[in-house]
Amino acid sequence: MLKKFLKYHLPVVLWAFIIFKFSSGVVPQVSSLYWPNFAFMKSAHAFFFGIFAILLYRSLRSEGISGKKAAIWAVIATMLYGASDELHQFFTQGREARLRDIGFDTIGGMIAVFVVYKLGLFKHE
């Protein structure tokens, strides 16, 4: 039981904590131009939440949930965590909450889970 928690469920919690910590800090600028910053930050949203969705999918599959259901729930949970992240940023000095970021979080999760699902990964976990 503990071994399963450490292997499958703890990574989800730790990754959520990493996202929370990144959301608590000041956003670094990668360029003095708007578009490179925008592209970098939105790509980061998609990447971080894509990893989160994969970890969730893996965790759900480890509980015997079918691939399709695990994929759907992983994307829904990723969207909800993205929304809670934006709510957190609303109350964080130096940060802004944006609805579009929830969209980038969800798109990142959808793409990541789609790829993992189509590749048939985590079938036997």
Side-chain angles (χ1 to χ4, degrees):
M1 180 93 152
L2 178 61
K3 186 176 179 180
K4 184 177 182 179
F5 173 80
L6 293 174
K7 183 175 181 180
Y8 296 107
H9 307 303
L10 184 61
V12 177
V13 174
L14 293 175
W15 198 256
F17 180 75
I18 288 168
I19 290 171
F20 181 83
K21 288 303 283 181
F22 272 107
S23 293
S24 300
V26 177
V27 179
Q29 299 293 316
V30 294
S31 171
S32 59
L33 301 173
Y34 174 78
W35 284 108
N37 279 321
F38 180 83
F40 176 78
M41 293 310 297
K42 302 319 162 197
S43 297
H45 270 271
F47 174 78
F48 277 95
F49 282 87
I51 298 296
F52 182 73
I54 289 171
L55 291 172
L56 276 169
Y57 176 79
R58 180 176 173 260
S59 176
L60 292 167
R61 292 290 285 152
S62 77
E63 293 298 327
I65 297 172
S66 73
K68 188 174 184 178
K69 284 184 181 179
I72 291 167
W73 282 112
V75 171
I76 290 170
T78 298
M79 180 185 67
L80 293 172
Y81 190 64
S84 73
D85 181 55
E86 292 306 309
L87 181 63
H88 167 243
Q89 288 182 31
F90 181 77
F91 296 104
T92 303
Q93 187 174 3
R95 299 299 301 258
E96 295 178 333
R98 301 215 182 245
L99 286 176
R100 73 173 173 218
D101 287 347
I102 300 169
F104 283 102
D105 301 339
T106 305
I107 290 168
M110 289 172 69
I111 292 169
V113 168
F114 177 78
V115 169
V116 168
Y117 178 77
K118 283 299 186 182
L119 291 176
L121 301 178
F122 311 120
K123 277 186 175 182
H124 304 293
E125 295 198 46

